[in-house]
């Protein structure tokens, strides 16, 4: 005599097993797309032989064809080649700025989290003031102070992103610092510096890396946005934001000039974000 | 013949290929208490859930007979079970803080059961009738000021009152059968006695009671019959007095044997052979290694004012001996432990280690001597860096002690085997180990520093009784062979009696009684100690002629 429903058990089991074994397709696709983008950034010549800077007035504004996959712009430059070569700058906005913001954020956050209350208070109020303004506005102020240019765009995005990381690091630091295993290390006789380096930092950085993956997408958008406004690299450098800006007046006649760089930005940002969320899920799943 | 409230014959429950309940049969009548006793994983909880239709869907369950309140429960659908739960069978869960909704008042929580069932039975109660019933039930479970308590939230109540509220929620719809799943495990001894008295009263009023517990002492206090479970089977069943006084099955005997309070001091509790450690230099048993002199500590309270956590506590600890510090939660024993470890600077008084200043030192200078005093905590898992493997944890401690880098691996393996851990565990993380194994890792980490004093703060309270026996034996072996001095903090009188040479009884930060272990337990002078000992459930009250 059966009380429960054994059939449910039979149905549920193999499915659960299958789910565990296969890689979720979304995460995998995002990973592959990002891999291709990184490859394009490092070795653009394996994707296209066309010179991104070579102009040909006779080929002005050609629609997409087999010869010019994404068509050509007003000056007859190959849009596909420019998009491929633009990957380098856009990704370096994302990665460099995020890495720099991460390092600064960890330094400020850990220092604030370990500092005596008054110092911590001062740092936190300063960060809160920075956080009160939209990131793009902070970046614009930095550009206004430093002047336009590729390096300054990266500096601007970094400065704008630091407060968020610093705050997360600070609160994680405070949590970890109060946890029993830190106190156990003290009781064991471990040196304070060693405790911070061996036990505190690794436990703070782990969750932050996931946040940073998502942050890369935000930084890419910020970089493209500043370029779009003409505050970053200048023509004829192939950069997605700049290309978007160049093509926006001819959307009616030659849509491909603006649409393909725009798509490139969108795909890149979505891929990093999806991958970040996927890693987050994995990380939290394991932590639990 | 009493009325049968629940009858189970040949109950089997399995998850996938794993059988967790294997042919269990029992029955409970009105006014009778059946205790299901066993250690974690023995299947006692899931067995009781079968009587509520709360076995998870992923389980396969079968029984020759499963009847609840005279009906064959094997035919019940979900809606039928809803009519049973709370109305015919009540459940008192273990952790009252988790079991009560933090956003609802006690009155709402207790009243909900009655509201749901009165609607179900098409006799909805008015708001006033409901409130009156809740107040009557709160009064019935001896909650003082039921009117104002009903308006409070779970976190505003003490542990004992919360557990009573949970019992009120289980009894308000007048179920004839009550399942109490570890109802007193998280409670202090005095409160535990009160809750057991309440359950006993309900039983006398005619409620059938299924008491689930790992604690034989609790069981002995109110159970009429006992069923001892191991690996999903009932290995022994009979009336409580005869099972506990003359156990027939080997497992029951080993459970009783592992209970510290039932033993002469110094006897081994578990069945494992003693561990062999490196021979220590001979210890001068007359030398004082730790002196606590008039230590006081107060904390600011959230509502203003200060609370005196530790108040002028003094004691001396000689090498190779153990001082037991016993008290209920909030008595200041853990704060005292932190001060002794030099993790907290006392407001007044000082701690001397090996006759030299300790608590007064700045941390920079204390660090050089930290190896002399090591600690084992109640929750070993949280005391390990979650990223580290067992091997890495031990190597860190060994490296601090100055073991050469090349020897770390070999020494870690040696250390692990000395505390009874297999070498294959070194590559695992503590999260994947059992409670007993984790505590062994914590002990090994402490021993790696070659301490002279070991401070143990509730080191066995999270462990099953047979594992507790093994760990207590390990402490005894370590002390005998290495001549360590030990400060042993616990709320468990049986454990304290077993391990201590000298006992301090703490209450509200003050040492109310102190003396050699035998004297304190056999002739307590302070009323607080007398009350604690009289709250001890029966089997333990045989401790060297303690008052019963």
């Amino acid at each position: 005599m059966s009380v429960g429903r054994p059939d449910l058990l039979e149905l549920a089991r193999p499915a659960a097993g299958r789910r565990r074994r296969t890689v979720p397709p979304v995460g995998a696709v995002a990973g592959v797309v990002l891999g291709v983008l990184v490859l394009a950034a490092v070795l653009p010549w394996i994707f296209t032989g066309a010179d991104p800077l070579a102009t040909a007035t006779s080929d002005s504004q050609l629609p997409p064809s087999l010869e010019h996959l994404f068509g050509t712009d007003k000056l007859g430059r190959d849009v596909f080649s420019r998009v491929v070569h633009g990957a380098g700058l856009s990704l370096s906005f994302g990665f460099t700025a995020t890495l720099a913001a991460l390092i600064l954020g960890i330094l400020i956050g850990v220092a604030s989290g370990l500092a005596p209350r008054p110092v911590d208070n001062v740092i936190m109020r300063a960060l809160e003031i920075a956080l009160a303004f939209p990131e793009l506005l902070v970046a614009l102020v930095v550009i206004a102070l430093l002047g336009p240019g590729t390096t300054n765009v990266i500096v601007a995005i970094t400065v704008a992103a630091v407060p968020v990381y610093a705050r997360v690091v600070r609160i994680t630091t405070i949590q970890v610092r109060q946890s029993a295993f830190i106190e156990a290390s003290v009781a064991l006789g471990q040196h304070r510096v060693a405790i911070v380096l061996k036990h505190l930092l690794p436990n703070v950085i782990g969750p932050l890396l996931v946040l940073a993956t998502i942050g890369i997408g935000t930084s890419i958008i910020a970089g493209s946005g500043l370029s779009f406004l003409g505050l970053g690299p200048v023509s004829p450098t192939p950069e997605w934001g700049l290309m978007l800006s160049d093509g926006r007046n001819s959307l009616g006649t030659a849509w491909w000039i603006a649409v393909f760089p725009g798509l490139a930005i969108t795909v890149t940002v979505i891929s990093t974000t999806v991958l970040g969320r996927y890693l987050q899920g994995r990380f939290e799943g394991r932590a639990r | 013949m009493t009325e049968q409230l629940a009858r189970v014959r040949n109950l089997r429950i399995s998850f996938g290929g794993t059988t967790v309940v294997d042919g269990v049969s029992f029955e409970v009548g009105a006014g009778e208490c059946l205790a299901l006793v066993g250690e974690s994983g023995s299947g006692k909880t899931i067995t009781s859930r079968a009587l509520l239709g709360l076995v998870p869907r992923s389980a396969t369950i079968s029984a020759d007979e499963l009847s609840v309140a005279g009906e064959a429960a094997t035919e019940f659908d979900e809606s039928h079970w809803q009519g049973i739960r709370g109305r015919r069978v009540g459940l008192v869960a273990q952790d009252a803080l988790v079991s009560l909704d933090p956003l609802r008042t006690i009155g709402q929580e207790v009243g909900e059961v009655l509201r749901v069932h009165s609607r179900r039975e098409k006799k909805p109660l008015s708001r006033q009738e409901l409130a009156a019933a809740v107040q009557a039930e709160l009064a019935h479970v001896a909650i003082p000021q039921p009117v104002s308590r009903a308006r409070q939230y779970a976190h505003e109540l003490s542990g004992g009152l919360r557990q009573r509220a949970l019992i009120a929620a289980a009894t308000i719809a007048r179920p004839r059968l009550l399942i109490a799943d570890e109802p007193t495990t998280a409670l202090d001894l005095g409160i535990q006695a009160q809750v057991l008295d309440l359950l006993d009263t309900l039983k006398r009023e005619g409620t059938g009671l299924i008491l689930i517990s790992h604690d034989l002492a609790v069981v002995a206090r109110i159970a009429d019959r006992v069923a001892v479970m191991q690996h999903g089977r009932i290995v022994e069943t009979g009336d409580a007095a005869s099972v506990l006084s003359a156990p027939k099955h080997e497992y029951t005997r080993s459970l009783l044997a592992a209970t510290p309070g039932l033993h002469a001091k110094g006897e081994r509790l578990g069945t494992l052979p003693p561990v062999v450690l490196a021979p220590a230099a001979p210890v001068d048993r007359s030398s004082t290694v730790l002196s606590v002199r008039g230590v006081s500590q107060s904390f600011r309270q959230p509502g203003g004012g200060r609370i005196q956590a530790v108040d002028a506590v003094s004691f001396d600890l000689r090498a190779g001996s153990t001082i037991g510090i016993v008290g209920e939660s909030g008595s200041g024993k853990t704060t005292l432990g932190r001060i002794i470890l030099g993790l907290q600077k006392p407001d007044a008084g000082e701690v001397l280690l090996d006759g030299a200043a300790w608590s007064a030192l700045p941390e920079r200078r204390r660090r050089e001597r930290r190896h002399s005093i090591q600690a084992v905590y109640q929750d070993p898992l949280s005391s390990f860096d979650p990223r580290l493997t067992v091997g890495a944890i031990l190597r860190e401690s060994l490296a601090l002690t100055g073991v050469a880098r090349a020897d770390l691996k070999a020494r870690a393996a040696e250390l692990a085997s000395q505390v009874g851990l297999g070498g294959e565990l070194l590559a695992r993380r503590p999260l994947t180990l059992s409670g007993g194994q984790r505590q062994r890792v914590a002990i090994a980490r402490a021993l790696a520093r070659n301490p002279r004093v070991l401070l143990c703060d509730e080191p066995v309270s999270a462990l099953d009784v047979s594992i507790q026996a093994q760990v207590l034996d390990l402490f005894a072996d370590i002390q005998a062979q290495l001549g360590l001095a030990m400060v042993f903090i616990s709320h468990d009188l049986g454990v304290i009696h077993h391990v201590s040479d000298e006992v301090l009884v703490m209450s509200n930060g003050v040492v109310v009684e102190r003396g050699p272990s035998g004297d304190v337990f056999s002739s307590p002078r302070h009323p607080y100690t007398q009350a604690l000992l009289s709250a001890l459930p029966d089997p333990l009250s045989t401790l060297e002629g303690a008052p019963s």
Side-chain angles (χ1 to χ4, degrees):
Chain A
M1 183 162 30
S2 166
V3 181
R5 271 165 282 176
D7 53 325
L8 275 178
L9 177 73
E10 256 42 81
L11 288 173
R13 284 245 144 197
R18 216 177 300 138
R19 208 179 309 134
R20 220 169 292 132
R21 249 171 267 128
T22 49
V23 183
V26 191
V29 169
V32 169
V33 169
L34 213 58
V36 171
L37 284 164
V38 170
L39 203 60
V42 181
L43 300 165
W45 295 108
I46 60 172
F47 290 94
T48 169
D51 185 345
L53 303 179
T55 55
T57 32
S58 57
D59 291 346
S60 176
Q61 300 202 4
L62 291 179
S65 64
L66 275 181
E67 197 184 340
H68 301 288
L69 281 177
F70 291 178
T72 61
D73 63 8
K74 267 181 250 170
L75 299 174
R77 292 175 297 201
D78 182 55
V79 175
F80 179 69
S81 171
R82 289 177 65 75
V83 167
V84 168
H85 283 266
L89 260 185
S90 287
L91 288 187
S92 71
F93 285 153
F95 285 101
T96 320
T98 305
L99 187 68
L102 209 54
I103 292 169
L104 285 174
I106 288 169
L107 288 177
I108 297 172
V110 168
S112 187
L114 295 179
R117 186 68 76 81
V119 180
D120 180 36
N121 277 339
V122 171
I123 298 178
M124 282 320 290
R125 293 302 87 78
L127 288 178
E128 276 158 16
I129 291 170
L131 277 168
F133 299 98
E135 282 190 28
L136 200 62
L137 198 61
V138 176
L140 281 172
V141 170
V142 175
I143 296 270
L145 291 174
L146 300 180
T150 309
T151 318
N152 290 351
V153 164
I154 293 177
V155 172
I157 305 170
T158 305
V159 170
V162 163
V164 176
Y165 293 126
R167 260 178 79 106
V168 175
V169 171
R170 171 184 171 270
I171 196 70
T172 326
T173 301
I174 290 174
Q175 270 173 10
V176 175
R177 174 179 114 166
Q178 291 167 346
S179 58
F181 68 89
I182 295 290
E183 191 166 278
S185 301
V186 175
L188 205 59
Q190 185 64 275
H191 196 275
R192 198 181 308 170
V193 177
I195 292 175
V196 170
L197 294 181
K198 275 180 155 175
H199 298 301
L200 191 130
L201 269 185
N203 280 293
V204 167
I205 291 176
L208 195 69
L209 285 181
V210 177
L211 189 69
T213 323
I214 296 169
I216 290 174
T218 321
S219 297
I220 291 175
I221 292 189
S224 305
L226 291 173
S227 302
F228 182 86
L229 297 174
L231 300 173
V234 288
S235 229
T237 317
E239 201 286 329
W240 296 341
L242 197 59
M243 291 162 70
L244 202 61
S245 159
D246 284 348
R248 73 180 195 278
N249 288 330
S250 42
L251 262 179
T253 50
W255 54 268
W256 52 90
I257 302 176
V259 164
F260 286 111
L263 269 180
I265 295 171
T266 314
V267 167
T268 312
V269 172
I270 290 178
S271 305
T272 51
T273 309
V274 166
L275 195 67
R277 293 270 175 221
Y278 169 69
L279 291 176
Q280 190 173 28
R282 284 287 297 261
F283 187 84
E284 283 171 0
R286 201 185 51 185
R288 235 178 271 131
Chain B
M1 174 86 192
T2 54
E3 176 194 356
Q4 291 295 320
L5 298 176
R7 205 177 146 85
V8 174
R9 278 201 300 127
N10 197 21
L11 176 71
R12 295 169 169 278
I13 303 173
S14 62
F15 288 89
T18 319
T19 304
V20 292
V21 176
D22 189 4
V24 163
S25 306
F26 61 83
E27 55 207 28
V28 190
E32 182 187 43
C33 174
L34 168 73
L36 294 178
V37 186
E39 299 189 283
S40 20
S42 59
K44 50 193 198 303
T45 292
I46 191 99
T47 299
S48 73
R49 295 301 189 267
L51 296 175
L52 288 159
L54 288 176
V55 174
R57 288 223 174 147
S58 55
T60 314
I61 166 169
S62 70
D64 292 345
E65 182 177 356
L66 180 65
S67 68
V68 177
E71 294 179 76
T74 40
E75 307 299 333
F76 285 178
D77 57 12
E78 181 59 22
S79 134
H80 207 136
W81 275 120
Q82 282 168 2
I84 294 287
R85 292 176 200 144
R87 188 76 174 97
R88 310 258 173 249
V89 184
L91 173 68
V92 182
Q94 176 175 356
D95 191 335
L97 191 57
V98 179
S99 304
L100 292 167
D101 187 335
L103 297 179
R104 285 151 51 95
T105 62
I106 296 301
Q108 286 172 325
E109 283 287 278
V110 173
E112 176 165 27
V113 185
L114 198 56
R115 197 169 54 84
V116 167
H117 284 289
S118 64
R119 276 206 200 140
R120 243 190 111 73
E121 290 159 18
K122 309 274 187 280
K123 285 175 277 183
L125 295 173
S126 72
R127 195 179 282 257
Q128 288 76 17
E129 287 171 317
L130 207 55
V134 167
Q135 274 155 30
E137 196 58 31
L138 290 181
H140 183 220
V141 298
I143 290 182
Q145 301 142 351
V147 182
S148 60
R149 293 294 181 188
R151 284 199 290 269
Q152 288 185 311
Y153 294 89
H155 69 267
E156 297 176 289
L157 264 53
S158 69
L161 284 183
R162 274 203 295 267
Q163 199 66 44
R164 278 159 206 262
L166 212 57
I167 294 175
T171 54
I172 191 166
R174 300 267 166 270
R176 300 294 311 281
L177 180 64
L178 201 59
I179 297 173
D181 190 349
E182 302 274 7
T184 61
T185 300
L187 302 178
D188 274 330
L189 209 49
I191 318 277
Q192 169 177 311
Q194 293 168 13
V195 170
L196 289 178
D197 284 346
L198 172 59
L199 289 174
D200 199 34
T201 309
L202 292 172
K203 186 185 86 173
R204 283 177 206 289
E205 290 168 4
T207 307
L209 190 61
I210 296 181
L211 176 69
I212 297 168
S213 181
H214 68 284
D215 189 336
L216 290 167
V218 165
V219 165
R221 199 170 175 113
I222 59 171
D224 300 306
R225 285 184 300 122
V226 174
V228 181
M229 287 191 72
Q230 184 194 22
H231 306 317
R233 284 187 199 161
I234 292 182
V235 294
E236 178 163 5
T237 178
D239 65 276
S242 61
V243 169
L244 294 178
S245 60
K248 291 193 192 64
H249 194 274
E250 194 188 338
Y251 178 69
T252 318
R253 277 202 291 270
S254 74
L255 267 186
L256 280 166
T259 307
L262 302 175
H263 277 259
K265 288 171 67 70
E267 231 175 84
R268 288 186 79 75
L269 301 169
T271 48
L272 295 181
V275 300
V276 182
L277 298 146
V283 174
D284 176 9
R285 300 231 163 201
S286 63
S287 70
T288 298
V289 285
L290 183 75
S291 304
V292 174
R293 301 215 174 133
V295 161
S296 294
Q297 176 83 55
S298 66
F299 293 111
R300 206 180 296 130
Q301 271 187 312
R306 296 185 76 84
I307 181 164
Q308 194 71 32
V310 177
D311 196 354
V313 173
S314 301
F315 66 84
D316 285 321
L317 180 62
R318 278 173 295 110
S321 72
T322 302
I323 191 156
I325 300 175
V326 68
E328 307 198 316
S329 43
S331 60
K333 27 185 222 308
T334 293
T335 304
L336 180 60
R338 285 173 50 84
I339 292 170
I340 292 171
L341 280 175
L343 293 171
Q344 175 124 33
K345 197 147 257 179
D347 296 339
E350 72 169 333
V351 180
L352 303 179
L353 190 60
D354 285 327
W358 170 252
S359 63
L361 292 178
E363 179 61 29
R364 191 171 44 78
R365 293 195 32 224
R366 187 161 42 220
R367 196 177 297 134
E368 300 154 15
R369 293 174 60 212
R370 279 214 174 270
H371 64 91
S372 300
I373 181 162
Q374 287 293 306
V376 175
Y377 308 91
Q378 172 171 13
D379 177 11
L381 188 59
S382 70
S383 78
F384 303 132
D385 186 334
R387 297 174 315 111
L388 299 186
T389 60
V390 171
I393 290 165
L394 298 185
R395 287 198 297 274
E396 180 187 6
S397 187
L398 287 165
L400 281 174
T401 316
V403 173
R405 195 173 262 272
D407 302 336
L408 282 180
K409 263 206 149 112
R411 281 285 290 126
E414 190 186 347
L415 195 58
S417 77
Q418 280 172 353
V419 297
L421 288 171
E424 75 283 355
L425 299 180
L426 289 172
R428 305 237 309 252
R429 286 194 168 72
L431 187 63
T432 65
L433 303 184
S434 70
Q437 288 170 329
R438 286 172 192 167
Q439 207 51 286
R440 284 171 195 270
V441 176
I443 294 168
R445 172 173 70 173
L447 290 185
R449 301 287 278 136
N450 299 324
R452 290 164 53 74
V453 181
L454 193 61
L455 184 135
C456 311
D457 188 355
E458 301 271 7
V460 292
S461 36
L463 303 176
D464 268 332
V465 65
S466 63
I467 306 298
Q468 165 178 300
Q470 291 171 10
V471 173
L472 290 179
D473 283 348
L474 179 60
F475 279 127
D477 293 342
I478 289 166
Q479 184 165 47
Q481 295 180 43
L482 301 181
L484 282 180
M486 283 174 43
V487 179
F488 204 103
I489 297 172
S490 179
H491 70 284
D492 188 325
L493 291 166
V495 169
I496 286 289
H497 172 261
H498 185 78
V499 300
S500 311
D501 299 309
E502 198 189 342
V503 176
L504 299 187
V505 182
M506 282 185 78
S507 171
N508 297 323
V510 183
V511 174
V512 294
E513 177 147 9
R514 67 195 309 162
S517 173
D519 294 357
V520 171
F521 281 89
S522 59
S523 48
R525 275 162 297 142
H526 194 276
Y528 178 76
T529 319
Q530 288 164 358
L532 266 187
L533 284 170
S534 66
L536 267 181
D538 298 335
L540 296 188
S541 55
T542 54
L543 293 176
E544 299 186 6
S548 50

